[in-house]
Amino acid sequence: RLHLPAHAFAEFNAWIGIPLYLSFLFGFLRDRWNPLRAGDRGHLSLFGFATAAIYTTIAFMSPSYGLLLGGLLLATIAVLTAASAANGIFSAIGQDHLMAGQASTVLNVASIVPTVAGTLLGGLLSDVLEGLDASSAARSLFLVGAGLMAAVALFGAVGPRALFTAHARPPRLSPLGDVWRLVRHWPAY
């Protein structure tokens, strides 16, 4: 509804996609930074609420190219940071229970199901939103996104503590320390 030519729309998507190209950095951020001294729970809460706030702000402002570009760029960064925490939780739990492949499969299915559901429901939602003016349609979409991200943040804030702490373990010293531990406890292995 911004009446952009195809090349301008492609440029818009390229700009918003920059965080996706650099998504590995969000994993490093998750590994190195402990927001609110709560680990993954802090990442989910902080960046879930940040994304919800970004979407809510965009919902109540007049949609323009600059607002959508900046807002969606920030939202993409916040979502990727929250997603890196979720990936880290699944990975650590899978490793601790010696079922990393199963944990990865569960995470992939949990990622695919909303995508498929969104695709199937997208046509229905599009028909409903088509009757609305651009501002109302955008407001509805962004408020739905804000609600979903608020739910993620709420889960991070008050979700089951065992999920976030069951996999917590002391940091490894070094690969050499691991080798030394194996040599020292060789009969136990």
Side-chain angles (χ1 to χ4, degrees):
R1 300 243 177 137
L2 291 174
H3 306 290
L4 297 175
H7 74 284
F9 186 67
E11 287 175 5
F12 182 85
N13 284 331
W15 281 108
I16 291 174
I18 288 173
L20 297 170
Y21 312 138
L22 302 172
S23 60
F24 66 93
L25 294 174
F26 301 103
F28 288 132
L29 177 68
R30 179 241 173 215
D31 291 342
R32 304 286 183 248
W33 183 45
N34 185 4
L36 310 174
R37 296 182 188 228
D40 291 325
R41 180 184 291 268
H43 284 282
L44 289 174
S45 298
L46 180 65
F47 291 101
F49 281 127
T51 307
I54 292 166
Y55 283 158
T56 302
T57 301
I58 294 172
F60 290 105
M61 297 183 79
S62 179
S64 68
Y65 183 86
L67 173 73
L68 290 175
L69 181 64
L72 292 176
L73 189 61
L74 289 174
T76 302
I77 290 169
V79 166
L80 286 173
T81 306
S84 72
N87 287 336
I89 291 168
F90 270 90
S91 176
I93 290 173
Q95 289 172 3
D96 286 350
H97 294 283
L98 302 176
M99 52 185 224
Q102 292 172 356
S104 176
T105 300
V106 169
L107 183 60
N108 286 334
V109 169
S111 299
I112 291 170
V113 168
T115 302
V116 171
T119 301
L120 295 175
L121 295 174
L124 296 173
L125 184 60
S126 178
D127 288 341
V128 170
L129 295 177
E130 197 61 40
L132 301 175
D133 64 286
S135 293
S136 297
R139 182 174 298 119
S140 299
L141 285 175
F142 285 117
L143 289 177
V144 167
L148 291 172
M149 288 309 294
V152 167
L154 190 62
F155 179 77
V158 298
R161 183 171 299 278
L163 176 68
F164 298 102
T165 58
H167 65 278
R169 58 186 126 151
R172 292 181 154 176
L173 298 175
S174 70
L176 184 59
D178 290 343
V179 170
W180 175 245
R181 183 176 49 84
L182 285 171
V183 169
R184 266 192 353 213
H185 301 298
W186 180 256
Y189 292 105

